[in-house]
Amino acid sequence: MAAAAAAAPVGAAPRVGLLYDDRMCAHATPDGEKHPENPERLRAIRRKLDAEGVASRCVDMKAKEAKEKYIASVHTPNHIKLIRDISSKEYDYRRNKTARKFNSIYFNEGSSESAFLAAGSVIEVAEKVASGELSSAIALVRPPGHHAEHNEPMGFCLFNNVAIAANYLLNERPDLGINKILIVDWDVHHGNGTQKMFYSDPRVLFFSVHRFDYGSFYPCEGDASHCFIGEGAGEGYNINVPWEHGKCSDADYVAAWDHVLLPIAEAFDPDIILLSAGFDAAMGDPLGGCCITPDGYALLLTKLLGFAKGRIVMALEGGYNLKSIANSVCACTKVLLGDNFTYNSPRMQPFESTWRVIQMVRDELKAYWPVLSSKLPDNVPLRSAPSYIEPYASSGSESDVEDVSELPDAISSVNVTQVVDDVLSEHITMLKLDEDNLATKNTSSDSVQAQDDGPVVAATRIYDLLFTWRSALSKVYVWYASFGSNMWKPRFLCYIEGGKVDGMSISCFGSHDTSPPRGTMWKTVPHRLFFGRSSTPCWGTGGVAFLNPEINYNDESYVCMYKITLEQFNDVLFQENRLVKDNSEDGKLESPSSPLIGLSEIESVSSNKALHLEPIKDSWYSNVLHLGEEDGLPILTMTCPSTAVAQHKSGELPLAPPSETYSATLIKGLVEGKQLDTHEAANYISAAAARSL
């Protein structure tokens, strides 16, 4: 077999491989629960390709399971054994418990086969493209792979499919002449697993463009920032383009291509391109919050065809809106097949923040890639930041949810407001060493010290994430709606200023920002107020207030709304769920180093009306509800998840009337807020405590 076989002759129809195998649909949630990463993702894509007559023009391919020795090039023996055995009968009674040990992972009886097929499929298509048997190929695989770490599954990903295929080409098939690989990851989430696996390898140029949101967007790791550029021989070969917020569209991605990726790709001159093709930055995706159109993806892919003789392997990663993922994959397939493509855009204006991020990336990498030393174009028309970033006033913006019915033809308009971003622009340059991020991880028996566990993601500089997210979210305003003791303003101010009021046994720690609310107002909401649990450290014996997450227009509950920053909302959330601790040794408070609710979560909860916070899923107030908008700002509250409501109904968790002191606090709030008189307020509380769920 000739090394580095030539591309198809000029004028010849491209031979595009299309790998789809329904066996990879066997991986699903164990009890049929709804989940964004589900088998319908593959089936929707296949239906679209068939309906458009695209699939029949491709070379049909079937999946093959990867051999363990190839998977072992990037994953530990214990990791491989877990995925191989997790679907066996021996795990029937502990499969769910095992899944809970990992970050955003589920398993079922079909997980093992699907994972081995996904990894083997990307190897299969990559080998055929590298050999010249195919011009390019698309591997419709799941579970996805780019979050999977060396020693554990993560973020819906079981094996790192693209990393396994890259290692196979470089180390197992030298006869194919693949010496340099460009991995492009355009999934909206950072490809943390892939980055770590090639962090010191100059044979692999890894490029990831993703939402970062100052460290608050999944996977919420500092090494997704632009200053992580590789180490040792691989220094300069790791490129991160970290967006500061959502709503990034075709224009933003094209700018990153034209001013970062393409100049470096030309200098690197790859032999093949492996594309971690996640489509969760697509317009209408429930997790991504960005706005790339199908034509936008097609344009990005078209721009890559000029490299590596057009040898491109697309491996599916994320993408959770069935219509947008199907339309986007179809548009990309037509590009690979050589169909004429014209991009028509009513607007091509990147965000101001995009231009700033691109400049930072270029400054970081220009010592390694001199082509980046040139000055960026002047007088480029730019958009200001999305309207959910509120400096000090509301904007009256519409919902952040895109109208997916417009796909694929329209590029949605985005309501924007001018943002005072002096602080944000300063944060991007304030860097320090984050020792916690550099610490060796020992999460399983096969974890080893950093020098043996693949490249350590260690740069001499990293964002001060704690400072950065707080400063960023201090510019974002929301309405916090309280239905419990916080309806009484002096009680609520304990969460902001610290301290306690009469009836409380313990003091609150307060917020980092002790500024008072910028506004207060009342309203009623169609949710059932009830009192659950039997005692609390703060109020003693008796139930405390919860709202049933389910809407019921026969119910009417009072809420007192405080206009506070999203930073303050997170501090209230931390305290409600007892996540703030007093370090008695040095007297300093310890609180989470990243927010539970960032800009991406605001988008998600606005779209889905509720967001159960996975990191604190077992806490009492782990469910954030979106109760509507007021003056263009979201109204948020925190309550129990629906699963807890079911447990209260069944008696597994107790329902209990509130204590006298707790009731008195609620009554003070309702009376001083001029909603009810004392007698009416007492009856309101008693009725809520007496009603069954």
Side-chain angles (χ1 to χ4, degrees):
M1 189 177 296
V10 176
R15 285 177 53 81
V16 179
L18 177 62
L19 191 148
Y20 170 88
D21 195 313
D22 202 56
R23 289 178 292 171
M24 283 181 277
C25 295
H27 173 63
T29 52
D31 299 310
E33 306 98 326
K34 290 184 178 180
H35 194 281
E37 204 296 282
N38 63 73
E40 278 304 303
R41 297 174 61 240
L42 291 193
R43 293 172 179 145
I45 296 170
R46 183 65 197 223
R47 286 194 297 267
K48 178 66 175 179
L49 297 181
D50 286 338
E52 293 283 327
V54 172
S56 61
R57 298 166 57 198
C58 297
V59 178
D60 188 51
M61 304 177 68
K62 292 298 180 185
K64 292 182 180 179
E65 290 194 14
K67 294 181 180 179
E68 289 190 17
K69 66 177 182 178
Y70 301 144
I71 300 175
S73 67
V74 301
H75 294 298
T76 60
N78 280 10
H79 183 160
I80 297 170
K81 184 178 187 300
L82 170 69
I83 304 303
R84 183 186 65 227
D85 297 343
I86 195 66
S87 298
S88 64
K89 290 187 179 297
E90 68 174 283
Y91 273 93
D92 280 352
Y93 299 104
R94 54 192 175 106
R95 193 174 292 124
N96 291 349
K97 183 178 180 181
T98 301
R100 286 194 293 270
K101 296 178 181 178
F102 302 106
N103 183 336
S104 304
I105 289 294
Y106 65 78
F107 297 122
N108 76 333
E109 294 86 347
S111 299
S112 297
E113 183 182 33
S114 294
F116 277 85
L117 287 170
S121 296
V122 183
I123 290 176
E124 177 75 5
V125 297
E127 183 177 44
K128 291 190 180 301
V129 172
S131 69
E133 186 175 336
L134 295 172
S135 307
S136 58
I138 301 170
L140 300 179
V141 296
R142 60 176 297 276
H146 70 150
H147 291 311
E149 299 268 7
H150 177 56
N151 62 343
E152 62 182 5
M154 175 182 172
F156 309 166
C157 303
L158 303 189
F159 288 142
N160 197 312
N161 308 316
V162 165
I164 292 168
N167 267 288
Y168 175 81
L169 294 179
L170 290 170
N171 301 320
E172 301 293 334
R173 293 298 307 273
D175 57 301
L176 295 177
I178 302 298
N179 299 310
K180 293 186 292 182
I181 296 177
L182 169 60
I183 297 178
V184 176
D185 189 333
W186 70 30
D187 190 281
V188 78
H189 303 96
H190 180 235
N192 55 288
T194 313
Q195 170 173 298
K196 292 174 184 176
M197 290 167 185
F198 300 107
Y199 203 63
S200 60
D201 192 339
R203 299 175 300 170
V204 176
L205 176 63
F206 176 69
F207 173 90
S208 178
V209 55
H210 49 268
R211 284 189 63 175
F212 185 53
D213 294 28
Y214 302 96
S216 67
F217 196 78
Y218 190 88
C220 305
E221 295 181 356
D223 58 13
S225 75
H226 75 286
C227 57
F228 278 81
I229 60 172
E231 67 180 4
E235 193 168 320
Y237 290 88
N238 193 86
I239 306 168
N240 286 320
V241 179
W243 300 143
E244 295 176 359
H245 51 71
K247 293 290 188 183
C248 292
S249 64
D250 298 354
D252 302 283
Y253 282 79
V254 168
W257 254 234
D258 289 350
H259 300 296
V260 179
L261 175 57
L262 301 186
I264 295 178
E266 185 173 5
F268 181 65
D269 191 21
D271 299 314
I272 194 170
I273 298 174
L274 303 185
L275 180 55
S276 274
F279 293 92
D280 40 9
M283 188 161 57
D285 189 272
L287 301 188
C290 287
C291 305
I292 303 182
T293 65
D295 278 357
Y297 280 115
L299 178 59
L300 298 179
L301 183 58
T302 299
K303 286 175 174 284
L304 293 177
L305 284 175
F307 303 99
K309 299 178 182 178
R311 290 184 291 204
I312 296 177
V313 172
M314 288 180 58
L316 189 66
E317 298 284 2
Y320 308 102
N321 179 293
L322 299 185
K323 187 169 185 178
S324 63
I325 193 174
N327 288 337
S328 299
V329 172
C330 186
C332 288
T333 308
K334 290 179 179 179
V335 166
L336 295 180
L337 286 167
D339 289 6
N340 291 330
F341 170 70
T342 302
Y343 183 79
N344 297 309
S345 171
R347 176 177 57 198
M348 283 291 282
Q349 292 183 353
F351 284 118
E352 294 167 340
S353 61
T354 293
W355 215 241
R356 182 169 58 249
V357 167
I358 287 173
Q359 185 62 67
M360 290 188 308
V361 174
R362 288 169 63 95
D363 289 344
E364 192 73 34
L365 291 167
K366 64 186 179 183
Y368 308 93
W369 306 99
V371 69
L372 300 183
S373 298
S374 60
K375 187 180 179 182
L376 284 173
D378 294 324
N379 302 320
V380 175
L382 301 172
R383 292 185 290 163
S384 53
S387 57
Y388 51 75
I389 300 180
E390 289 292 326
Y392 298 106
S394 62
S395 67
S397 63
E398 296 175 357
S399 168
D400 290 333
V401 182
E402 302 295 343
D403 183 1
V404 189
S405 65
E406 296 295 324
L407 290 172
D409 299 321
I411 297 179
S412 68
S413 61
V414 182
N415 289 322
V416 297
T417 185
Q418 184 62 40
V419 175
V420 182
D421 61 357
D422 294 341
V423 179
L424 292 182
S425 61
E426 290 173 9
H427 299 157
I428 207 84
T429 61
M430 306 188 81
L431 309 167
K432 76 175 186 66
L433 186 67
D434 185 335
E435 295 177 356
D436 291 337
N437 268 285
L438 307 184
T440 302
K441 218 164 58 165
N442 288 298
T443 56
S444 66
S445 59
D446 61 292
S447 297
V448 293
Q449 293 301 309
Q451 61 266 28
D452 299 321
D453 196 18
V456 181
V457 179
T460 56
R461 297 176 297 152
I462 186 175
Y463 288 115
D464 181 343
L465 292 176
L466 177 62
F467 174 76
T468 306
W469 78 257
R470 284 192 174 278
S471 298
L473 299 191
S474 70
K475 298 171 70 70
V476 182
Y477 277 80
V478 300
W479 290 99
Y480 161 57
S482 172
F483 48 83
S485 61
N486 285 338
M487 290 191 295
W488 188 38
K489 189 171 183 178
R491 159 65 180 110
F492 169 68
L493 290 177
C494 295
Y495 275 146
I496 301 300
E497 301 169 354
K500 62 180 181 178
V501 295
D502 289 345
M504 293 172 60
S505 300
I506 55 177
S507 295
C508 297
F509 294 109
S511 171
H512 280 237
D513 177 2
T514 58
S515 303
R518 289 183 170 268
T520 304
M521 62 187 304
W522 287 78
K523 71 180 298 182
T524 57
V525 294
H527 293 267
R528 169 72 63 86
L529 174 70
F530 70 95
F531 296 91
R533 307 286 178 165
S534 55
S535 66
T536 63
C538 183
W539 298 100
T541 302
V544 287
F546 295 95
L547 275 190
N548 189 334
E550 295 183 9
I551 293 175
N552 186 333
Y553 290 101
N554 294 319
D555 291 319
E556 190 175 77
S557 297
Y558 289 93
V559 294
C560 181
M561 302 183 346
Y562 303 100
K563 186 178 179 180
I564 60 176
T565 69
L566 192 51
E567 179 195 12
Q568 291 175 316
F569 183 83
N570 274 280
D571 283 331
V572 174
L573 193 56
F574 294 159
Q575 293 173 83
E576 282 279 21
N577 290 287
R578 304 180 67 188
L579 302 178
V580 184
K581 298 179 181 179
D582 187 354
N583 189 330
S584 57
E585 294 182 2
D586 56 15
K588 293 182 179 179
L589 297 181
E590 296 180 357
S591 61
S593 60
S594 60
L596 288 168
I597 296 290
L599 298 183
S600 58
E601 287 78 17
I602 289 287
E603 293 172 2
S604 177
V605 74
S606 298
S607 172
N608 301 314
K609 307 308 178 189
L611 179 64
H612 190 196
L613 299 170
E614 185 70 21
I616 59 166
K617 61 183 179 181
D618 296 325
S619 298
W620 290 11
Y621 293 93
S622 59
N623 195 21
V624 175
L625 301 185
H626 182 273
L627 300 177
E629 290 189 356
E630 187 66 39
D631 293 334
L633 299 181
I635 304 169
L636 306 179
T637 193
M638 54 198 78
T639 185
C640 62
S642 298
T643 52
V645 174
Q647 290 175 304
H648 282 297
K649 288 181 179 179
S650 68
E652 186 177 346
L653 290 177
L655 293 170
S659 65
E660 289 186 11
T661 52
Y662 186 74
S663 293
T665 306
L666 272 67
I667 291 170
K668 287 179 184 177
L670 290 162
V671 173
E672 293 182 15
K674 299 181 179 180
Q675 302 303 300
L676 301 171
D677 61 29
T678 302
H679 179 70
E680 291 170 334
N683 287 342
Y684 170 74
I685 302 301
S686 298
R691 285 181 299 183
S692 67
L693 285 172

